[in-house]
Amino acid sequence: MDSILIKDTTREERERIVAESIGNVNGSCDGCSAGLIEMYQPYIDGIKEIREINMEFRAHFESGVDGPEKADCGYKY
């Protein structure tokens, strides 16, 4: 398979793409894989591309760490 776009894949292929990307979802883990599968359900259903889902996730992610304060460059005019 050359493309993972919705137009180039079947639902079954998209399910396999997500499952293979996430890894062993049935293994012993802390329960996070179920949330990842749910997050990619719109892709499996043919509603949103993976790229769109990833962009939305990054746009809402907060690390809880404040960024550095802007420093003065020292240039005086």
Side-chain angles (χ1 to χ4, degrees):
M1 172 184 339
D2 293 327
S3 173
I4 61 170
L5 294 175
I6 291 170
K7 68 181 181 97
D8 298 330
T9 56
T10 64
R11 179 183 177 88
E12 291 76 22
E13 289 172 326
R14 291 190 298 271
E15 287 174 342
R16 191 180 77 245
I17 290 166
V18 170
E20 289 175 358
S21 297
I22 293 173
N24 184 7
V25 296
N26 296 323
S28 59
C29 70
D30 60 2
C32 63
S33 60
L36 289 174
I37 295 275
E38 185 177 313
M39 182 172 101
Y40 288 104
Q41 193 61 48
Y43 170 69
I44 294 170
D45 294 339
I47 299 168
K48 290 182 181 180
E49 296 289 353
I50 288 178
R51 182 177 186 270
E52 294 174 280
I53 295 169
N54 290 339
M55 287 173 53
E56 288 173 0
F57 176 79
R58 283 194 306 262
H60 292 90
F61 178 76
E62 293 182 29
S63 69
V65 177
D66 291 333
E69 294 291 323
K70 186 173 180 179
D72 185 14
C73 67
Y75 178 75
K76 303 290 183 199
Y77 50 96

